[in-house]
Amino acid sequence: MTTPVAPGKRPLVGHGLGFGLKPLEFLNAQRPLGAVTALTIGPWRARIINDADLVREMLVSRPKEFLKEGPLYELSSAFVGNGLAISEGPYHRRQRRLIQPAFSRARMPQYHSVMRQAAEEMTSPWSDGDRLNVWNDLFHLAVSVIGNMLSPGRFPREKTERIVWAVATASAGIGWRSVTPAMWLHRLPTPEYQRFTRAQQILHAFADEAIAVHRSRKDAPEEHFLTILLGARDEHGDPLSAKELRDEVVTLFSAGSATVATSLAWALHLLSHDRKADETACVEIRDVLEGRPVTAADLPRLEYLGRIVTEVLRLYPPAWLLPRITQDAAELGGHVIPPGTHVFFSPYSIHRDPTLYPDPDTFDPDRWLPENSTSRPRSAYVPFGAGVHQCIGNNFALTEATIALATILPAWRLAPVPGARVRIRPRALLEPDGLALTARARTEETK
Ligand code: HEM
């Protein structure tokens, strides 16, 4: 049996304005209206899936009915080709099978030293009292991790700068193009178009060079990320083509840099306002590491820090709104969804549902203690999505965030700049707008 979809608040005039101006408030307001709500955004008919279990059903049990296709993915293909983050169907399944081994949990320890070094390099120019451009520092950190993971020697700072610029330019360009349906506008030879094209060239050239250098190496380690990609064979014995390899390397930078940087920026923001959590984390890190740099073996023992990272991703999931599209008519939770409908779900809105998380807007790492979390359904936590498209870099991201915090926090307390107002800016990711922190060196007494 089917029931009508609950309408959004202003079905006659469309919802583009409310959604465009205050999307997070808009999404939160949809939840009480029903498990599935209907809205119109410009020329598009859309549905929002507000219920966590229905989102899980869509992603895990019925991905073939709700496809990862549509304008956003078409625009992204200018950069990532048909890379894993935007591909669908049998092609996606093949790519995922070939690439997955490079991201297995067992592979993570080999990335630890580049992650730790990047955090050390980020903090080495800091001095007591410095006002930091934290977001910029963290974006460089995340790009440098991937750059160093792909390169035989140290990845030069100058290349990191260029890739940061290219990823940011690509993301901004895709952002405005996705809300400007007139395709001819996208290709006007404006300065923006030239920057967009330049960003594409930088990312493609870097990927091609990294692959060529790796192919020519006689000493490439077996477990190296690119060795795994170059050695991967599908069921017909075919390797990834040069174009496919490039797409996947560019995908790494675009999917795996700003996401991690944003999470870390929110973590430092939250800790700057919560002295108790900051000190509890520092005591734990000091007890576990005893002054040593963090290693693979330490991570399972940094339990409180792990809960901080989990809670940060609950409150501020970088990928806050994710789209799907129906090819054929579909039915979800008793609601009929016509073919060609844009279907959205929001990890942000699910994570702020008071029926799943008491006091949902409060930062509370201890809500992840086993005694406080075992009764919570699995569907309630989706910062990395779920099902066939679940983030392939989830272990990588969690490891990188934990290592970065375990390196930064023992030496530095980040204090909010008085008067600074941090707001959530929902763009491609959930960015912290106005984040300003001062570095305070921890003395022996405050360590
Ligand atoms: C905190 C950091 C991160 C967050 C919150 C995040 C979030 C997500 C989410 C929600 C998805 C699923 C999108 C969907 O279902 O439409 C996804 C997919 C993906 N992510 Fe991440 N991600 C993070 C870090 C990374 C990193 C570090 C990498 C790589 C180094 C990465 C690579 C990818 C790829 C390739 C996909 C596509 C997977 C597929 O469709 O098979 N991500 N990510």
Side-chain angles (χ1 to χ4, degrees):
M1 200 188 83
T2 58
T3 51
V5 169
K9 274 184 179 161
R10 282 172 289 165
L12 292 178
V13 294
H15 305 78
L17 195 61
F19 185 67
L21 289 178
K22 294 197 166 191
L24 300 177
E25 288 83 345
F26 183 87
L27 288 167
N28 275 342
Q30 294 296 302
R31 254 192 341 258
L33 300 178
V36 179
T37 48
L39 74 161
T40 51
I41 305 175
W44 294 305
R45 283 185 309 181
R47 296 287 185 275
I48 301 182
I49 313 302
N50 300 301
D51 178 82
D53 287 337
L54 286 187
V55 168
R56 194 168 168 81
E57 180 178 337
M58 171 172 86
L59 300 179
V60 178
S61 316
R62 300 166 56 195
K64 289 183 181 159
E65 294 170 65
F66 300 92
L67 300 174
K68 206 171 159 177
E69 285 174 1
L72 192 64
Y73 299 113
E74 281 155 30
L75 289 165
S76 304
S77 70
F79 286 85
V80 296
N82 203 15
L84 198 57
I86 66 165
S87 55
E88 252 303 354
Y91 182 84
H92 170 264
R93 276 198 295 285
R94 170 185 184 264
Q95 302 301 96
R96 179 107 192 182
R97 234 188 348 260
L98 293 178
I99 296 160
Q100 187 87 49
F103 282 102
S104 71
R105 207 183 275 271
R107 294 274 172 217
M108 289 306 119
Q110 81 197 54
Y111 306 131
H112 283 194
S113 60
V114 291
M115 291 170 176
R116 198 184 64 226
Q117 262 176 346
E120 286 165 355
E121 279 167 17
M122 179 185 78
T123 53
S124 66
W126 292 2
S127 298
D128 190 34
D130 277 358
R131 188 173 162 158
L132 303 173
N133 187 348
V134 186
W135 161 248
N136 188 52
D137 282 359
L138 292 167
F139 201 173
H140 280 75
L141 174 146
V143 165
S144 145
V145 166
I146 299 177
N148 278 302
M149 176 180 131
L150 297 175
S151 304
R154 292 299 296 156
F155 193 62
R157 170 83 193 176
E158 181 264 330
K159 274 193 181 172
T160 303
E161 300 275 357
R162 281 201 296 155
I163 290 176
V164 164
W165 178 85
V167 173
T169 304
S171 168
I174 292 167
W176 86 256
R177 280 168 177 76
S178 65
V179 290
T180 313
M183 295 294 276
W184 60 272
L185 277 174
H186 301 177
R187 286 187 289 273
L188 281 184
T190 58
E192 191 283 335
Y193 177 74
Q194 281 154 14
R195 285 197 299 276
F196 196 66
T197 314
R198 181 79 196 115
Q200 188 187 37
Q201 286 162 352
I202 289 175
L203 291 171
H204 289 179
F206 171 75
D208 291 347
E209 184 194 327
I211 293 159
V213 168
H214 195 82
R215 275 194 207 281
S216 68
R217 280 179 74 182
K218 302 273 179 292
D219 59 341
E222 255 176 52
E223 67 285 0
H224 191 281
F225 186 87
L226 288 175
T227 312
I228 298 172
L229 248 58
L230 288 168
R233 295 290 177 270
D234 66 13
E235 67 274 26
H236 308 295
D238 293 330
L240 289 162
S241 70
K243 161 86 171 61
E244 288 169 338
L245 285 165
R246 172 207 272 181
D247 291 349
E248 299 310 342
V249 169
V250 176
T251 296
L252 274 192
F253 280 110
S254 45
S257 57
T259 43
V260 176
T262 310
S263 322
L264 280 168
W266 284 116
L268 294 179
H269 163 70
L270 288 165
L271 291 175
S272 76
H273 284 275
D274 190 331
R275 292 291 293 269
K276 190 165 162 269
D278 178 62
E279 277 159 24
T280 309
C282 272
V283 168
E284 179 185 79
I285 296 167
R286 188 189 57 205
D287 290 352
V288 171
L289 302 187
E290 297 174 327
R292 287 179 292 103
V294 59
T295 66
D298 299 317
L299 295 189
R301 295 170 61 211
L302 294 170
E303 288 177 15
Y304 187 71
L305 197 56
R307 290 203 292 281
I308 287 179
V309 173
T310 308
E311 179 69 344
V312 169
L313 287 170
R314 179 188 72 81
L315 277 172
Y316 302 108
W320 58 282
L321 183 69
L322 293 160
R324 294 289 189 268
I325 201 162
T326 50
Q327 203 163 38
D328 303 312
E331 176 275 328
L332 193 65
H335 303 275
V336 178
I337 305 179
T341 304
H342 295 264
V343 178
F344 294 96
F345 68 98
S346 168
Y348 175 89
S349 161
I350 292 175
H351 294 176
R352 301 271 180 151
D353 184 339
T355 63
L356 299 170
Y357 298 96
D359 210 359
D361 297 336
T362 301
F363 174 58
D364 176 11
D366 284 344
R367 67 169 89 238
W368 296 102
L369 280 168
E371 60 271 30
N372 297 335
S373 57
T374 37
S375 62
R376 200 173 294 131
R378 209 167 160 201
S379 58
Y381 190 66
V382 281
F384 296 107
V388 292
H389 289 291
Q390 175 165 324
C391 180
I392 201 169
N394 60 353
N395 289 325
F396 190 96
L398 294 173
T399 306
E400 183 175 342
T402 312
I403 287 184
L405 292 174
T407 308
I408 300 166
L409 295 180
W412 301 96
R413 188 171 72 73
L414 283 307
V417 168
R421 252 192 92 200
V422 180
R423 270 177 280 220
I424 312 181
R425 183 166 53 193
R427 293 287 188 273
L429 301 177
L430 214 53
E431 298 167 7
D433 183 31
L435 180 61
L437 296 173
T438 303
R440 295 270 170 235
R442 288 194 209 263
T443 59
E444 275 316 306
E445 301 84 71
T446 61
K447 269 186 185 179

